[in-house]
Amino acid sequence: MQAARGKIPLEAGDLGAVLLYLSHDTDTEIAEAAIASIRGLSGNRLMSVLEAPETHPYLLEIFSRLHCNDTAIGEVIASHPSVAVETLEFLSLHGVTTATEFYGVLSSLDETPEGEQPPPEFEEEEADEEEFKSKYQLAQSMGVAEKIKMALTGDKEWRGILIKDSNKLVSGGVVKNPRITDSEIITIAKSAVQNDDIIRVICSNKEWVKNYNIRKALVENNKTPLPQALRFLATLSEKDLASLAKSKNISSVIATQARRLLLNKNKK
């Protein structure tokens, strides 16, 4: 909570990383405190975070919107080496000269020259594969703070790489990423994740456990806490209960309870 309130002395880059991470915390009070600290950053402290080379693009995007009427802050954000094209576009619309110049150059690079054809689809697929390999290689050389930031804000490929990270803060950050999908959660719930906290986070998310396939995957995962597994078991269909009752890959307690539930359903 002290970290979320910005009361622990940290280097500018680390401060941004910590506040960004804690703003996604499952504890509502900690998340709200971190968000309040992000909103409250000002003066030299804010400038230090904006000028730190390791400040994440997502945090730059947040500050660009919080301070969209402050041209000086906008110029610093637009000059950051990690600023996203979308952030430059937003700043250019609010009259930040540097952003307008940078965005104009980047936009021109995206245009296909007249007379040239875009590359065929199979080349795009090869490019995606190469990009995934390069991301994996990049992850090997990244520090913990960088991995945490990427886990919280990265795309599907980054999430797939970092969910397997041995550091619990990194792998745990993946399930706090606001862009994560139900299909990814199903895959995680079915896997033998090293970080038990990830399963607990999934179990406590009311939206995710509305999904039948997620509940089923949690029941079948031996790392799911027994009370939650039993609660989700009671919501499964007779067909799945019958399968679980015969399964040797799950806890004997779950298999026994599945048989009991099945017998009760048959009696009714």
Side-chain angles (χ1 to χ4, degrees), residues 97-223:
T97 306
T98 307
T100 303
E101 294 171 353
F102 287 177
Y103 180 63
V105 172
L106 290 170
S107 297
S108 66
L109 292 174
D110 289 337
E111 295 174 1
T112 303
E114 189 175 351
E116 289 189 17
Q117 296 297 321
E121 290 184 7
F122 75 89
E123 290 186 10
E124 290 180 3
E125 292 174 4
E126 288 178 0
D128 290 342
E129 186 177 347
E130 288 301 317
E131 185 180 356
F132 180 83
K133 289 179 181 177
S134 65
K135 285 178 179 177
Y136 180 80
Q137 291 166 351
L138 181 60
Q140 308 310 304
S141 61
M142 290 168 66
V144 173
E146 291 177 295
K147 287 183 180 180
I148 290 172
K149 289 187 283 187
M150 194 57 71
L152 288 168
T153 61
D155 59 19
K156 186 177 180 180
E157 290 177 348
W158 275 116
R159 294 194 292 271
I161 293 167
L162 297 177
I163 192 68
K164 300 172 185 175
D165 197 273
S166 58
N167 188 295
K168 289 188 174 184
L169 289 176
V170 176
S171 56
V174 171
V175 290
K176 296 178 182 178
N177 189 314
R179 297 162 63 187
I180 198 166
T181 63
D182 280 7
S183 61
E184 290 175 82
I185 294 299
I186 292 170
T187 301
I188 294 168
K190 287 181 177 179
S191 65
V193 288
Q194 296 179 356
N195 185 355
D196 294 350
D197 292 340
I198 291 174
I199 297 297
R200 294 190 182 92
V201 169
I202 296 173
C203 289
S204 64
N205 189 297
K206 294 179 181 179
E207 290 302 313
W208 287 338
V209 297
K210 287 179 183 178
N211 186 308
Y212 182 90
N213 290 324
I214 292 176
R215 295 199 304 275
K216 181 173 178 287
L218 289 170
V219 170
E220 294 172 335
N221 193 323
N222 289 323
K223 292 205 172 185

